[in-house]
Amino acid sequence: MTQNNIDNIKDHAQLFHQDEYQELFANKKQFEGGHDPDLVAQTAEWTKTWEYREKNFAREALTVNPAKACQPLGAILAAVGFEGTLPFVHGSQGCVAYFRSYFTRHFKEPFSAVSSSMTEDAAVFGGLKNMVEGLAVSYNLYKPKMIAVCTTCMAEVIGDDLQAFIKTSKEEGSVPQDFPVPYAHTPSFVGSHITGYDNMIKGILSNLTEGKKQETTNGKLNLIPGFETYIGNLREIKRLASVMGIDYTLLADNSDYLDSPNNGKFNMYPGGTKLADAADSINAEATIAFQAYSTTKTREYIETEWKQKTYVTRPVGIRGTDEFLMKLSALTGKPIPQELEDERGRAVDALTDSQAWLHGKKVALYGDPDLVVGLVQFLLEVGAEPIHIVVTNSNEAFETELRALLDSSPFGAGATIWGGKDLWHLRSLLFTEPVDFFIGNSYGKYLWRDTHTPIVRIGYPIFDRHHLHRYATYGYQGTINLLNWIVNTILDELDRNTIIPAKTDISYDLIR
Amino acid sequence: MTPLESSTLEENSTVETKDAKELIQEVLQVYPDKAKKKREKHLNVYEEGKSDCGVKSNIKSVPGTMTTRGCAYAGSKGVVWGPVKDMIHISHGPVGCGYYSWSGRRNYYIGTTGIDTFGTMQFTSDFQERDIVFGGDKKLAKLITELEELFPLNRGISIQSECPIGLIGDDIEAVAKKSAKEIGKTVVPVRCEGFRGVSQSLGHHIANDAVRDWVFPQHDKEKKAGNIPEGTPYDVAIIGDYNIGGDAWSSRILLEEIGLRVVAQWSGDGTLHEMIKTPSVKLNLVHCYRSMNYISRHMEETYGIPWLEYNFFGPTKIAESLREIASKFDETIQAKAEEVIAKYQKQTDEVIAKYRPRLEGKTVALMVGGLRPRHVVPAFYDLGMKLIGTGYEFGHNDDYKRTTHYVEDGTLIYDDVSAYEFEQFVKELQPDLIASGIKEKYVFQKMALPFRQMHSWDYSGPYHGYDGFAIFARDMDLALNSPTWSLIGAPWKQIDE
């Protein structure tokens, strides 16, 4: 009897540990044609060696456990930051099912997007018919204020032309002529999700701002978050700007969309940057982006087409936040209020309280380029030492920037930037050159299991822990969050390693 | 405290349930004419005595509807092949498909991941523009040699094609043959490009065909060489159980208890070796008919192996299935089946005694993939719950025919339901529980409706077998009777509304 206690029904986490199932597993082995357990153990040991590491780093064609997704994922995250906007992905329909699941699992929120559901006939004749029908249907069903179109690799390979297709669709009456249908080509075999974000933001802004240039500026600042998956960051940016008394337009603000109140009614389009505000962004004083490598083309477009100054600041850690606030102050002439200086003081106070536990700690980390730069800023200022930095969707400019940042601090001396590498490379690095902890998304848990290196979950996606995305990593308050997650992971690990009575528990301290 | 105490729900619950056919017509009004004509064939109300549900199915989704469907790649890599644990499945093409399907389905397995099993890993050729322009065959061949060097204990490789492969004219079959010779292992090319077919379903079929064409020849060869043992009269295979949350294990335990010898699991916790041996079993036991009827039929035609559909959701169907399975064997098995049913009676009675009073009369609306929209219904009935609507993401006509045995007169049927339709149906019918997928979950939870994911068991499970039923009952109860639903709606708003 395996569920022998009705008041303690066991699910997979316990059920299969019971004798009945352990016997079942043992018995099943005779049919599996598996390897000798000794060989498996030997092979597992071999994968921990320098020899294996060298083979692993010699691969040229194979990618194993990459830390990057594809363009349209970023594109639709950008799209839902705008008021009433329905992302429309032109191409095969399976991609959209994946994207929606992928955001929903992270944010635990609805995520609406449609596909033009192209199949074999569209592969032969092109997807124009699908676009014409898809725009009409989604416009009628979901009553959006804007439909933002991007592509899957299928549509890109067969060469569908979005501009022409949208024009024809409008002519055929799918949507009204004046209805905004911005677009971005987002081939998944170029760049990654951050490239798609960039392309879509640029596509939307160029559509909405067309003909909106005024003689004078509107006195506002444009703020572009980039591929941001921390709702707390968007709210923190808005709060800091408000405390500074700054008039701004967030391009775009998906914080309400991805964290909507439960009031018993489903709203498909909560919040978002007003289309009129986005259209007026062309008249702003300047644009600040919080990520560089997910906004490269957008900033170039703003500089050349809008003749507007653009800046990148990453408000991560104390100095990162200082830089952001000083930039705001410099651009607007408004002073940084005492309130924020006090916040700064409290965050610095927290860092000095915990510094002893962080100083000299060796760290590995992986993630998108901008996330990694921000985290390295923070790690260096608390005296932790980045060692292995893996960025699958790396680029040259990023590596140069990161190298300079590392070189600016003695704590950065031991770091290697592993551009274009994946998490199977990182596995070798963690075995051959161990570190005290590493930072990564939920996929990092497999590295935790294999190498026993403690993980601090920061990044995207985070599927196996709840609500972390609600917090900020930006600003002085975000600095405290980062500190909290990191230092308490270290202390938890210390407890875990000193918990055996009469053996290791001499150091199982009450006060740390 | 039930969700009905929430302010916002009270507002809706006063609406009288419309005639379901009228409701369908009303919901269709918003579609443009052409799309409306297409969609109305997929929506109907089941009438007692009819041989099907009166809906068309397995037809292209209407563009722009927000279908929940996936693609052929998802059906092949994500469903059929992915769980074969000792093979490496290459997501061949750009990085996304493999990334989004990485560890998404909880196909449990036993093994040392990265050494002798590879289920929760992502292997991809990460296509760049040059691969699209110049073709990816060389890269693929090289990649396979690298796999072999870094993962020497793999038992074989499958190449799961993403959209571009079929569009740029790559010859993955040639690469597979050549590489198989070089590494001396099975290499299976699968033409499951996402644009093929109308849903995951064609991917299942393509994946089944790939087993037939690239795995079974090895059985035939081994058989000729005399390397396939005769086996026992009780050899069976579990077909179409992906071991989500351990479902195949809580099923296998029952089959073994009644005296059968389970030689293979397809494909949850399965191995290549198990697949190769399967054409020597006496009976194939099919759980997910939709995704694996093709290979079952093939084994019947080619190897003369009969197959039998069974249903291990809920004690009524479990007992019925065990008896039917046993009836294909001798009296010893039949007697053991009765013993096993009797043995679990106490456990089942306790589950029902505890949970049925908490769930009795609650209504449920289902929308799942290709099997569960009918298969899980009896488990709800066992708990005293009622089904008011059901539909498949990618079912075919034979699924809707089979569904007639599970649903009552007046049940709303929706095929490939759009997000809009589903939301409208639910708003009108106000089921107590929605059982569907992750993309639907938070839409309905925002509407203050309890929800359970019926693809992934909402990270719980197993739900199959007697042990699984206890968990199923517990989970339905915790969803429906959570006090959190009663918090929705600010108390100072209740008077106004």
Side-chain angles (χ1 to χ4, degrees):
Chain A
M1 261 336 175
T2 34
Q3 298 284 13
N4 50 19
N5 181 356
I6 187 66
D7 294 319
N8 182 20
I9 289 172
K10 299 177 194 76
D11 61 27
H12 55 85
Q14 288 178 298
L15 182 68
F16 298 127
H17 299 173
Q18 301 190 144
D19 291 346
E20 293 90 341
Y21 284 99
Q22 289 296 312
E23 279 165 31
L24 181 149
F25 297 152
N27 182 51
K28 183 176 181 292
K29 291 235 181 287
Q30 64 178 303
F31 304 106
E32 292 187 338
H35 294 279
D36 183 318
D38 289 339
L39 178 63
V40 175
Q42 273 169 29
T43 309
E45 284 306 311
W46 169 64
T47 66
K48 300 175 184 175
T49 62
W50 276 92
E51 181 202 341
Y52 188 86
R53 170 173 165 169
E54 273 154 32
K55 277 183 198 292
N56 192 9
F57 277 73
R59 63 188 147 97
E60 290 170 357
L62 171 67
T63 298
V64 186
N65 300 352
K68 66 168 180 181
C70 67
Q71 281 211 48
L73 184 84
I76 69 173
L77 185 70
V80 300
F82 293 88
E83 173 194 17
T85 298
L86 182 66
F88 182 111
V89 186
H90 181 57
S92 302
Q93 71 190 8
C95 316
V96 174
Y98 277 141
F99 306 149
R100 294 179 64 208
S101 301
Y102 221 67
F103 283 128
T104 294
R105 286 175 179 146
H106 177 84
F107 293 107
K108 303 199 187 299
E109 292 289 323
F111 197 105
S112 305
V114 298
S115 165
S116 62
S117 295
M118 285 163 65
T119 57
E120 285 104 328
D121 52 343
V124 178
F125 302 110
L128 175 61
K129 271 188 180 171
N130 299 65
M131 171 80 77
V132 171
E133 185 171 16
L135 285 177
V137 168
S138 54
Y139 177 76
N140 279 286
L141 253 58
Y142 300 112
K143 316 240 176 310
K145 291 188 174 159
M146 174 163 88
I147 297 177
V149 181
C150 63
T151 49
T152 77
C153 54
M154 178 207 183
E156 288 299 322
V157 172
I158 66 173
D160 277 5
D161 179 348
L162 291 183
Q163 187 180 20
F165 282 16
I166 292 166
K167 186 165 175 279
T168 308
S169 300
K170 285 190 169 180
E171 283 162 7
E172 297 199 9
S174 298
V175 296
Q177 278 293 349
D178 59 351
F179 182 81
V181 186
Y183 66 91
H185 285 277
T186 48
S188 51
F189 44 83
V190 176
S192 70
H193 54 287
I194 60 174
T195 325
Y197 178 92
D198 195 7
N199 285 332
M200 192 79 247
I201 284 284
K202 184 186 159 198
I204 291 172
L205 291 181
S206 52
N207 178 297
L208 293 178
T209 60
E210 202 185 329
K212 304 285 180 183
K213 185 82 177 167
Q214 305 284 328
E215 292 297 308
T216 52
T217 76
N218 61 17
K220 291 184 178 182
L221 290 180
N222 297 323
L223 306 176
I224 304 181
F227 187 89
E228 178 58 71
T229 56
Y230 284 88
I231 299 310
N233 281 350
L234 298 171
R235 300 217 162 114
E236 183 64 6
I237 288 167
K238 291 194 280 188
R239 189 186 67 88
L240 289 172
S242 298
V243 171
M244 290 276 295
I246 282 164
D247 206 0
Y248 63 90
T249 307
L250 194 56
L251 298 169
D253 184 359
N254 52 26
S255 61
D256 289 343
Y257 190 97
L258 296 167
D259 184 21
S260 65
N262 194 331
N263 53 21
K265 290 193 178 82
F266 169 59
N267 172 5
M268 191 177 271
Y269 308 108
T273 303
K274 299 277 179 220
L275 300 188
D277 292 343
D280 197 34
S281 62
I282 194 170
N283 299 311
E285 293 281 347
T287 293
I288 298 178
F290 300 99
Q291 296 180 1
Y293 305 105
S294 61
T295 62
T296 313
K297 286 181 207 158
T298 303
R299 284 180 291 116
E300 195 182 294
Y301 158 77
I302 290 171
E303 294 256 357
T304 53
E305 302 290 321
W306 297 4
K307 313 286 180 218
Q308 203 179 97
K309 276 285 204 190
T310 70
Y311 307 90
V312 175
T313 75
R314 300 184 189 85
V316 185
I318 300 297
R319 291 205 181 89
T321 306
D322 293 348
E323 191 192 319
F324 169 56
L325 295 179
M326 290 190 291
K327 178 61 71 187
L328 286 183
S329 180
L331 290 172
T332 61
K334 304 209 177 199
I336 298 168
Q338 186 61 37
E339 184 185 344
L340 293 180
E341 202 173 321
D342 288 347
E343 267 182 37
R344 183 186 194 278
R346 281 191 286 270
V348 170
D349 189 57
L351 296 183
T352 57
D353 291 346
S354 301
Q355 57 83 19
W357 295 101
L358 297 170
H359 192 100
K361 287 283 184 295
K362 291 183 167 28
V363 192
L365 65 157
Y366 67 88
D368 288 344
D370 288 285
L371 178 82
V372 160
V373 172
L375 290 172
V376 169
Q377 282 173 194
F378 172 78
L379 291 169
L380 294 178
E381 63 188 20
V382 296
E385 296 177 15
I387 302 295
H388 314 301
I389 304 173
V390 171
V391 179
T392 310
N393 50 353
S394 185
N395 64 69
E396 219 171 288
F398 154 71
E399 289 182 26
T400 308
E401 186 195 357
L402 181 59
R403 189 72 260 167
L405 173 64
L406 290 163
D407 289 345
S408 73
S409 160
F411 297 97
T416 307
I417 304 166
W418 297 100
K421 297 294 185 253
D422 55 44
L423 302 189
W424 197 255
H425 291 116
L426 182 54
R427 186 178 183 271
S428 279
L429 296 172
L430 292 175
F431 274 128
T432 50
E433 295 176 86
V435 294
D436 294 303
F437 67 93
F438 74 98
I439 300 175
N441 60 16
S442 281
Y443 291 117
K445 77 186 302 177
Y446 301 128
L447 294 168
W448 179 24
R449 176 195 57 195
D450 289 0
T451 70
H452 304 296
T453 316
I455 174 176
V456 181
R457 285 173 181 76
I458 301 171
Y460 173 82
I462 295 177
F463 292 154
D464 67 332
R465 291 293 183 273
H466 287 203
H467 309 306
L468 293 178
H469 68 278
R470 296 179 196 277
Y471 291 82
T473 61
Y474 283 1
Y476 301 122
Q477 301 202 346
T479 301
I480 296 176
N481 288 333
L482 289 175
L483 174 70
N484 176 16
W485 295 335
I486 292 172
V487 79
N488 286 325
T489 299
I490 292 171
L491 295 177
D492 279 346
E493 180 68 7
L494 187 54
D495 280 347
R496 233 176 263 126
N497 292 335
T498 57
I499 206 165
I500 305 169
K503 192 169 176 196
T504 61
D505 75 341
I506 41 174
S507 308
Y508 192 67
D509 287 334
L510 182 69
I511 309 158
R512 297 204 197 271
Chain B
M1 299 265 268
T2 70
L4 284 173
E5 285 177 42
S6 119
S7 60
T8 40
L9 270 180
E10 265 174 43
E11 182 188 22
N12 291 329
S13 62
T14 54
V15 180
E16 293 224 345
T17 306
K18 285 197 189 69
D19 174 63
K21 288 216 170 184
E22 254 175 60
L23 172 61
I24 290 171
Q25 282 312 314
E26 204 182 289
V27 168
L28 284 166
Q29 286 315 312
V30 67
Y31 281 98
D33 285 347
K34 202 174 116 194
K36 183 183 167 197
K37 273 189 195 128
K38 290 187 200 167
R39 282 305 306 158
E40 67 189 349
K41 297 178 186 142
H42 297 266
L43 308 172
N44 214 330
V45 179
Y46 175 64
E47 290 169 34
E48 186 84 58
K50 291 268 173 77
S51 66
D52 66 23
C53 296
V55 295
K56 297 272 185 202
S57 57
N58 196 32
I59 295 172
K60 272 195 267 188
S61 300
V62 178
T65 52
M66 209 177 308
T67 173
T68 58
R69 283 174 167 178
C71 63
Y73 164 90
S76 176
K77 188 268 185 179
V79 175
V80 174
W81 277 103
V84 181
K85 66 179 176 179
D86 59 352
M87 292 178 72
I88 290 176
H89 309 290
I90 304 165
S91 294
H92 187 39
V95 73
C97 316
Y99 197 70
Y100 308 125
S101 57
W102 180 6
S103 294
R105 264 174 69 86
R106 289 174 62 244
N107 313 107
Y108 283 178
Y109 62 93
I110 308 272
T112 309
T113 301
I115 309 300
D116 66 344
T117 46
F118 309 93
T120 50
M121 295 176 69
Q122 190 209 347
F123 298 90
T124 175
S125 46
D126 186 14
F127 262 33
Q128 301 301 302
E129 198 146 24
R130 62 179 176 271
D131 302 311
I132 301 287
V133 176
F134 299 111
D137 286 342
K138 275 188 189 158
K139 187 176 200 177
L140 178 61
K142 181 164 199 172
L143 183 157
I144 292 172
T145 61
E146 289 176 359
L147 276 179
E148 191 54 21
E149 185 154 342
L150 290 170
F151 306 96
L153 301 192
N154 82 76
R155 289 297 193 187
I157 286 161
S158 82
I159 303 157
Q160 305 289 328
S161 303
E162 300 171 5
C163 285
I165 304 305
L167 299 171
I168 61 175
D170 274 12
D171 189 355
I172 58 167
E173 289 78 9
V175 176
K177 280 182 193 156
K178 196 157 172 276
S179 297
K181 260 189 203 143
E182 276 168 22
I183 66 171
K185 288 178 183 172
T186 306
V187 182
V188 183
V190 192
R191 287 286 182 177
C192 54
E193 290 88 344
F195 61 82
R196 295 191 195 278
V198 304
S199 68
Q200 292 92 313
S201 184
L202 188 65
H204 304 143
H205 197 156
I206 291 167
N208 278 223
D209 289 354
V211 175
R212 178 194 66 199
D213 297 340
W214 297 83
V215 176
F216 281 178
Q218 298 179 55
H219 171 89
D220 304 342
K221 206 172 134 194
E222 295 277 312
K223 179 104 181 168
K224 243 184 206 166
N227 294 334
I228 303 274
E230 192 41 40
T232 78
Y234 305 116
D235 288 6
V236 296
I238 294 177
I239 307 285
D241 191 324
Y242 302 104
N243 206 32
I244 290 165
D247 280 339
W249 295 329
S250 57
S251 302
R252 183 185 184 110
I253 200 166
L254 298 176
L255 297 173
E256 289 185 345
E257 280 186 88
I258 68 168
L260 299 178
R261 188 167 174 264
V262 182
V263 170
Q265 278 178 212
W266 290 55
S267 54
D269 193 40
T271 64
L272 178 63
H273 190 259
E274 289 172 51
M275 289 177 118
I276 293 172
K277 299 288 167 180
T278 303
S280 69
V281 301
K282 303 299 182 291
L283 177 66
N284 276 323
L285 297 172
V286 180
H287 210 246
C288 182
Y289 168 85
R290 178 72 275 127
S291 60
M292 283 203 178
N293 77 86
Y294 318 100
I295 199 70
S296 307
R297 290 175 198 280
H298 171 74
M299 282 191 265
E300 183 177 39
E301 284 159 19
T302 308
Y303 304 100
I305 303 168
W307 52 281
L308 178 69
E309 290 174 67
Y310 68 108
N311 183 348
F312 271 5
F313 287 109
T316 305
K317 279 287 165 188
I318 297 170
E320 203 180 299
S321 293
L322 285 174
R323 288 191 175 109
E324 201 180 349
I325 292 166
S327 75
K328 308 291 176 193
F329 296 92
D330 58 31
E331 283 170 6
T332 53
I333 302 292
Q334 289 162 21
K336 274 193 191 163
E338 292 305 326
E339 278 171 33
V340 170
I341 293 165
K343 174 187 153 187
Y344 283 96
Q345 194 62 50
K346 180 171 170 284
Q347 178 176 317
T348 299
D349 289 348
E350 281 179 356
V351 170
I352 290 175
K354 176 168 178 181
Y355 291 107
R356 187 164 176 137
R358 302 167 65 84
L359 300 170
E360 186 89 51
K362 299 283 187 196
T363 55
V364 59
L366 276 167
M367 199 287 289
V368 212
L371 173 81
R372 292 164 180 170
R374 63 174 181 276
H375 246 48
V376 297
V377 173
F380 285 112
Y381 288 162
D382 284 334
L383 294 169
M385 295 174 69
K386 283 184 185 157
L387 179 78
I388 57 171
T390 193
Y392 296 82
E393 232 179 272
F394 49 79
H396 297 206
N397 193 35
D398 47 4
D399 296 304
Y400 284 100
K401 281 202 163 110
R402 284 165 166 76
T403 307
T404 60
H405 304 299
Y406 288 90
V407 298
E408 290 172 348
D409 189 55
T411 305
L412 185 64
I413 309 289
Y414 29 80
D415 177 69
D416 183 21
V417 75
S418 68
Y420 174 80
E421 292 159 2
F422 202 17
E423 189 192 332
Q424 298 306 316
F425 290 151
V426 165
K427 267 187 189 159
E428 194 61 43
L429 299 175
Q430 286 292 313
D432 297 307
L433 177 76
I434 325 273
S436 189
I438 183 68
K439 302 189 289 297
E440 293 72 58
K441 182 178 172 89
Y442 301 100
V443 170
F444 294 119
Q445 291 195 172
K446 295 279 183 202
M447 292 162 68
L449 289 167
F451 188 102
R452 287 296 293 185
Q453 290 181 64
M454 279 292 130
H455 298 269
S456 69
W457 307 147
D458 238 309
Y459 323 121
S460 177
Y463 282 177
H464 290 178
Y466 288 112
D467 289 341
F469 177 65
I471 303 163
F472 175 81
R474 179 198 72 176
D475 289 354
M476 297 312 124
D477 175 54
L478 68 82
L480 271 158
N481 294 315
S482 164
T484 55
W485 304 115
S486 69
L487 302 171
I488 297 170
W492 54 90
K493 282 279 182 68
Q494 296 208 5
I495 304 153
D496 299 343
E497 294 192 28

